[in-house]
Amino acid sequence: MGYSMGGFGAIQLGCFAPELFDAVVSVAGYGMGTSEPNSGYGAPQPVSGEIFDLFLEREACKLARVPVVLAVHAPSDMCSSFRDVSAIIQKTQETAWDTWERSTAKLVRVPDGMANSDHPGKKRKSNHGYFNCTLLHNGSEKMLWRELRRLVDRAPQRGGDSMDWEPERGWGRSRRWSRMYEDPPNSRSWGWCPT
């Protein structure tokens, strides 16, 4: 899960290792390149559009192997492209359909009136200031958390040998109980696996 560049990172990690994640959540994120014209984003076209098309075909399609992909984005965002995120979600849905993957990809729209709610007095509005309303404030329960819990609860359970594998050391899946997150004793959560 991440916001803005963190949303970009969440998408990248989900594409790189989809078998490791039960959900990928990108808030105000983006992919590689952009399909947006020069105005507003400053990305050189047509090169940036070609990069984005390659990203969709070679990388974004891998998100279909993640059980839940959720993007939260404002259509009026002038820093990261709503159109690009829509294309990533659509590519994920199409790939899941075509390959029979049991994946749910969904785009949640942030209302334009909330798109700059982090900095309401700011003169130049980028409509990229919706961190608090989507992740922290009371409205975030309705906009993000309730939907994320619903999707994860309905997602197919992963199993088999690949999920039971534990690395010898380093960051990996661990069956340790994490009281901090109140996971049940049989859940799998991330943790450091000592040598």
Side-chain angles (χ1 to χ4, degrees), residues 3-5 27-30 73-74 76-80 115-116 118-119 125-131:
Y3 181 86
S4 193
M5 188 181 286
V27 181
Y30 50 93
H73 212 96
S76 60
D77 191 325
M78 293 186 287
C79 290
S80 57
N116 215 54
D118 289 351
H119 311 287
K125 300 197 183 291
S126 65
N127 294 330
H128 189 71
Y130 43 97
F131 178 88

Side-chain angles (χ1 to χ4, degrees), residues 92-152:
T92 303
Q93 292 168 338
E94 289 171 359
T95 304
W97 178 261
D98 292 344
T99 60
W100 294 85
E101 291 286 348
R102 295 179 64 200
S103 175
T104 299
K106 184 171 182 179
L107 176 60
V108 176
R109 293 172 184 252
V110 175
D112 287 343
M114 298 178 79
N116 215 54
S117 59
D118 289 351
H119 311 287
K122 195 174 181 181
K123 289 183 182 179
R124 184 180 176 273
K125 300 197 183 291
S126 65
N127 294 330
H128 189 71
Y130 43 97
F131 178 88
N132 289 323
C133 73
T134 55
L135 296 169
L136 300 176
H137 290 168
N138 293 340
S140 66
E141 175 64 24
K142 181 180 174 187
M143 193 173 303
L144 171 67
W145 300 112
R146 185 182 309 146
E147 183 64 10
L148 179 58
R149 280 193 303 273
R150 186 186 73 78
L151 293 173
V152 169

Side-chain angles (χ1 to χ4, degrees), residues 24-26 68-72 89 106-108 144 147-148 151:
V24 168
V25 180
S26 172
V68 174
V69 178
L70 184 63
V72 180
I89 294 298
K106 184 171 182 179
L107 176 60
V108 176
L144 171 67
E147 183 64 10
L148 179 58
L151 293 173

